[in-house]
């Protein structure tokens, strides 16, 4: 018998360790934490103090300046620095859907604060970009010139051209998806910040009206986007936006819209095997199936059942139970749709089936396939199989989620990750220099971009970890967004909720309650110091010229058993007039009126202010 050499022994041990890890199960909570960090790595604009990704700095601080509009913020799309509206809006919709349907699971993992921050970085930007009811700034940056350079976001020298949609340059697909994103986000934020939720919903309704009234493809209006994110149509986005607006408002108008347009817009006609930033039909069909399964179909039940039949087609195709009309799978079991960034399709499908599994289970129903009745657990099992493939259960034993596991891609096609941080190498890396010194270097990236789901392997499970292999090594927003809901769901059923490393060297929101406070202040304030609750609402809106004004009402409630005396509040980001509080000599500091110096236990008082834009930030400075 031949003895194993040292290399063979190491290989055998590695295989045994991998098999042990797979047998033990994956740590989806850790994967979730890393995924949320990816969105911090993709931030454009002025970074907050609680930024966890420390190799990133401020960037794009003059976006929109030449056009006379503030477009600072939002997310860079992938490994480049263009802010493409369509995939960014889809990303926000998927993040919101995860925060809604898996709220309990995300909260139990102490990640709702981070999840809502990832949402708000997108929604704040979309509201800035929606400057008038029928105007939406759809893209910042020129894809062609951006791709000629390899430089950090902090060093950008390429044109930051901004492109907009309006009545004469419509984009029903992009405006519709943005409406969906804001409507879904309004639901996600409602338990924590009702005022912000109402503001999102106002923008969502206006954008839906704009998308529906002025119809056209966004990439016909913005030719620069055509070679990067070509739209196949806008009917699915109109149905998608209406479905989300119905879920956010319970307004029958929107449910009637998806029913009346079911045939004309293909909602009950298209049977698909893909769910993505471009094709929303499967998402619409499952979203409307949820309404049906909840028993809320009413007079529209028969049409909703037609939507559900198409939802079942998608789910059955994923499970290989669709009478031969199934999705293609690699030998290793990965759903395979396209050569370029295939994992984004697999992550979206896995999320969708996890959602559908929960809805079927709650209704005590089964999935109806041509090959029989399938229990809801089978859908979740498929979702888990895809997640496990991403995390290392594949022929390459490779985790395609960067930073997770023992082996993951280190030559990620991502400018910021591949160039030494501006904080360690403080000299500017110029356009061509970046290619010569950093893009072509054989070493791994100096900055680990945790949570980035790369494009992934080909149809035969082959993968080349090469920076120039952008089809396989570039991560995208749209590929990572579905993972937030998916990983939280899988962790909750794995029996080890919360058992993952927690990195908390800097303050950051962690729970729904702390989010309600920290989203007002950018820093967690210790709520136990002042037993005061602030309830925000918008009571009136009106438009003067290009500006929409909002009347904000804030109720102050004493939740304690003791009287509160001399309560002083700090109010920041206040640009309008305020009534009901008295200013003090300190900047941005206000106190209760003289006749109400004491707030008795359980009692409340209120103040109002008017301004054009989101609510002001209200915190307690002191009290006796």
């Amino acid at each position: 018998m031949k003895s194993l050499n040292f290399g063979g022994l190491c290989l055998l041990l590695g295989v045994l360790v991998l098999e042990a890890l797979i047998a033990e199960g994956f740590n989806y909570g850790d994967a979730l934490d890393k995924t949320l960090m990816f969105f911090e790595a993709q931030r454009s604009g002025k970074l907050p103090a609680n930024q966890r990704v420390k190799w990133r700095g401020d960037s794009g601080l003059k976006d929109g300046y030449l056009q006379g509009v503030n477009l600072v913020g939002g997310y860079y799309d992938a490994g480049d620095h263009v802010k493409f509206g369509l995939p960014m809006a889809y990303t926000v919709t998927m993040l919101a859907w995860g925060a809604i349907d898996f709220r309990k699971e995300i909260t139990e993992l102490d990640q709702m604060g981070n999840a809502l921050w990832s949402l708000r970085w997108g929604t704040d930007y979309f509201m800035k970009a929606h400057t008038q009811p029928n105007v939406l700034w759809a893209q910042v940056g020129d894809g062609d010139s951006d791709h000629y350079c390899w430089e950090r976001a902090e060093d950008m020298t390429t044109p930051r051209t901004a492109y907009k949609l309006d009545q004469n340059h419509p984009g029903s697909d992009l405006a519709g998806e943005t409406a969906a994103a804001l409507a879904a986000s309004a639901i996600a934020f409602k338990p924590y910040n009702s005022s912000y939720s109402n503001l999102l919903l106002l923008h969502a309704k206006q954008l839906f009206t704009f998308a529906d009234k002025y119809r056209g493809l966004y990439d016909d209006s913005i030719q620069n986007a055509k070679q990067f994110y070509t739209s196949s149509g806008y009917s699915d986005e109109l149905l998608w936006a209406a479905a989300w607006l119905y879920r956010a408002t319970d307004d029958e108008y929107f449910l009637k819209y998806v029913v009346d347009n079911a045939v004309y817009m293909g909602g009950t006609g298209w049977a698909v095997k893909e769910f993505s930033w471009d094709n929303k039909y499967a998402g619409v069909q499952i979203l409307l199936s949820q309404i049906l399964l909840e028993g809320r179909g009413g007079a529209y039940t028969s049409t909703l059942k037609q939507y559900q039949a198409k939802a079942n087609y998608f789910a059955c195709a994923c499970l290989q139970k669709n009478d031969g009309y199934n999705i293609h799978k690699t030998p290793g079991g990965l759903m395979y749709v396209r050569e370029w960034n295939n994992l984004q399709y697999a992550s979206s499908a896995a999320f969708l089936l996890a959602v559908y599994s929960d809805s079927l289970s709650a209704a005590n129903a089964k999935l109806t396939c041509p090959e029989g009745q399938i229990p809801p657990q089978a859908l979740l099992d498929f979702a888990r199989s895809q997640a496990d493939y991403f995390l290392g259960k594949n022929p390459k034993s490779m985790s395609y989620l960067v930073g997770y596991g023992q082996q993951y891609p280190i030559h990620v096609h991502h400018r910021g990750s591949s160039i030494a941080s501006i904080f360690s190498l403080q000299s500017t890396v110029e356009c061509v220099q970046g290619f010569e010194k950093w893009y072509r270097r054989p070493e791994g990236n100096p900055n680990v971009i945790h949570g980035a789901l790369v494009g992934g392997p080909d149809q035969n499970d082959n993968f080349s970890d090469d920076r120039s292999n952008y089809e396989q090594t570039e991560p995208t927003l749209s590929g990572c967004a579905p993972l937030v809901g998916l990983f939280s769901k899988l962790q909750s059923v794995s029996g080890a909720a919360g058992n993952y490393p927690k990195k908390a060297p800097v303050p950051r929101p962690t729970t729904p309650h702390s989010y309600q406070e920290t989203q007002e202040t950018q820093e967690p304030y210790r709520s136990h110091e002042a037993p005061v609750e602030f309830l925000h609402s918008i009571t009136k809106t009106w438009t003067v010229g290009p500006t929409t004004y909002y009347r904000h009402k804030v109720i102050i409630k004493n939740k304690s058993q003791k009287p509160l005396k001399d309560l002083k509040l700090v109010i920041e980001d206040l640009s309008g007039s305020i009534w009901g509080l008295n200013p003090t000599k300190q900047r941005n500091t206000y106190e209760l009126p003289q006749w109400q110096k004491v707030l008795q236990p359980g009692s409340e008082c209120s103040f109002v202010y008017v301004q054009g834009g989101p609510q002001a930030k209200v915190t307690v400075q002191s009290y006796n």
Side-chain angles (χ1 to χ4, degrees), residues 338-589:
R338 281 186 176 79
E339 183 179 2
W340 193 321
N341 204 292
N342 179 65
L343 291 191
Q344 66 177 315
Y345 304 102
S347 67
S348 292
F351 170 85
L352 210 50
L353 263 61
V355 165
Y356 200 25
S357 172
D358 267 15
S359 294
L360 288 168
S361 294
N364 197 25
K366 292 185 177 181
L367 172 66
T368 301
C369 292
E371 299 178 25
Q373 297 284 303
I374 310 296
Q377 183 62 40
L379 282 76
L380 189 59
D381 290 344
F382 171 83
R384 185 193 293 272
S385 74
Q386 299 305 288
D388 288 354
Y389 189 106
F390 306 156
L391 299 180
K393 190 177 181 181
N394 55 64
K396 291 287 184 183
S397 301
M398 165 80 77
S399 166
Y400 293 108
L401 190 79
V402 178
Y404 180 91
Q406 300 301 309
Q407 182 184 359
Y408 50 81
I410 61 173
H411 299 91
V412 183
H413 183 92
H414 187 279
R415 288 158 175 75
S417 171
S418 70
I419 302 174
S421 170
I422 194 168
F423 302 113
S424 61
L425 178 67
Q426 297 181 8
S427 59
T428 299
V429 176
E430 296 178 353
C431 176
V432 178
Q433 178 193 7
F435 278 110
E436 295 173 346
K437 186 173 181 180
W438 297 100
Y439 179 77
R440 298 188 178 96
R441 70 197 290 265
E443 293 85 4
N445 290 2
N447 307 309
V448 178
I449 183 164
H450 288 96
L453 185 72
V454 297
D458 65 17
Q459 61 185 334
N460 296 311
D461 300 300
N462 294 317
F463 178 80
S464 173
D465 184 11
D466 188 321
R467 207 171 287 118
S468 64
N469 180 19
Y470 48 83
E471 292 171 336
Q472 294 190 333
T473 62
E474 186 173 19
T476 61
L477 293 175
S478 54
C480 292
L483 297 179
V484 172
L486 177 63
F487 286 150
S488 62
K489 173 62 180 178
L490 294 176
Q491 183 68 18
S492 74
V493 298
S494 71
N499 181 25
Y500 60 94
K502 296 191 179 180
K503 301 176 179 63
V506 293
R508 73 179 194 271
T510 54
T511 66
H513 176 70
S514 70
Y515 176 79
Q516 187 168 354
E517 310 301 344
T518 60
Q519 58 82 26
E520 302 292 350
T521 65
Q522 288 283 341
E523 291 288 345
Y525 92 86
R526 291 165 288 177
S527 57
H528 64 269
E529 291 182 353
V532 172
E533 181 178 25
F534 299 116
L535 301 174
H536 297 257
S537 62
I538 295 175
T539 57
K540 188 176 181 181
T541 67
W542 63 95
T543 302
V544 179
T547 305
T548 300
Y549 292 93
Y550 304 90
R551 183 182 187 270
H552 298 265
K553 180 180 180 181
V554 183
I555 296 174
I556 310 169
K557 184 174 183 179
N558 180 0
K559 299 188 298 180
S560 74
Q561 302 300 313
K562 298 179 180 180
L564 295 181
K565 301 178 181 179
D566 299 322
L567 181 66
K568 288 185 171 59
L569 305 178
V570 175
I571 303 179
E572 300 174 277
D573 294 343
L574 180 66
S575 59
S577 302
I578 188 168
W579 295 269
L581 296 176
N582 292 335
T584 69
K585 293 181 179 180
Q586 293 177 277
R587 185 171 177 267
N588 299 335
T589 304

Side-chain angles (χ1 to χ4, degrees), residues 67 69 71 75 77 82-89 125-126 128-131 135-141 161-166 169-176 178 207 210 217-219 221-225 229:
Q67 291 78 22
V69 60
L71 297 176
Y75 288 110
D77 174 61
V82 183
K83 296 192 290 199
F84 288 109
L86 186 57
M88 193 197 306
Y125 172 76
F126 290 142
K128 286 181 181 180
H130 183 217
T131 51
V135 174
L136 176 64
W137 291 87
Q139 180 178 321
V140 178
T161 310
Y163 305 86
K164 71 176 179 179
L165 303 173
D166 56 28
H169 306 90
S172 302
D173 31 23
L174 199 157
T178 309
L207 280 166
F210 170 49
L217 292 169
Y218 93 99
D219 56 349
S221 297
I222 303 173
Q223 290 288 321
N224 185 267
Y229 284 99

Side-chain angles (χ1 to χ4, degrees), residues 130 182 197-207 538 540-541 548 550:
H130 183 217
L182 295 176
S197 172
N198 292 339
L199 190 56
L200 293 172
L201 207 48
L202 285 170
H203 282 275
K205 290 176 180 177
Q206 288 184 352
L207 280 166
I538 295 175
K540 188 176 181 181
T541 67
T548 300
Y550 304 90

Side-chain angles (χ1 to χ4, degrees), residues 120-312:
R120 185 154 185 170
W121 202 264
T123 53
D124 280 353
Y125 172 76
F126 290 142
M127 289 193 292
K128 286 181 181 180
H130 183 217
T131 51
Q132 296 177 42
N134 295 330
V135 174
L136 176 64
W137 291 87
Q139 180 178 321
V140 178
D142 169 58
D144 292 320
S145 62
D146 183 271
H147 287 186
Y148 291 148
C149 290
W150 195 264
E151 55 191 353
R152 312 180 187 106
E154 296 82 359
D155 294 335
M156 271 192 292
T157 56
T158 52
R160 300 300 289 168
T161 310
Y163 305 86
K164 71 176 179 179
L165 303 173
D166 56 28
Q167 298 174 16
N168 299 317
H169 306 90
S172 302
D173 31 23
L174 199 157
E177 181 61 67
T178 309
L182 295 176
S185 297
I187 304 170
F189 277 105
K190 192 170 184 179
Y192 314 116
N193 187 338
S194 59
S195 173
Y196 188 71
S197 172
N198 292 339
L199 190 56
L200 293 172
L201 207 48
L202 285 170
H203 282 275
K205 290 176 180 177
Q206 288 184 352
L207 280 166
F208 175 73
T209 301
F210 170 49
D212 191 38
K213 185 175 181 180
Y214 301 98
R215 295 189 183 180
L217 292 169
Y218 93 99
D219 56 349
D220 283 343
S221 297
I222 303 173
Q223 290 288 321
N224 185 267
K226 193 176 286 288
Q227 63 176 305
F228 302 102
Y229 284 99
T230 305
S231 175
S232 59
Y234 55 74
S235 292
D236 53 335
E237 277 87 8
L238 290 175
L239 294 172
W240 179 238
W244 274 112
L245 278 163
Y246 176 69
R247 188 166 178 181
T249 64
D250 280 328
D251 186 338
E252 189 176 327
Y253 169 83
F254 297 108
L255 186 58
K256 188 174 186 298
Y257 183 96
V258 298
V259 168
D260 289 347
N261 291 286
V263 175
Y264 169 65
M265 292 185 176
T268 55
W270 279 104
V272 297
K273 293 184 285 186
E274 170 193 324
F275 177 51
S276 68
W277 59 266
D278 179 44
N279 190 331
K280 315 294 162 41
Y281 281 114
V284 172
Q285 291 152 0
I286 285 180
L287 194 59
L288 295 176
S289 297
Q290 289 184 290
I291 293 169
L292 183 66
L293 289 166
E294 291 165 4
R296 298 193 295 130
Y300 306 109
T301 295
S302 61
T303 303
L304 293 180
K305 284 184 176 178
Q306 295 175 48
Y307 273 105
Q308 188 182 27
K310 293 301 186 288
N312 291 348

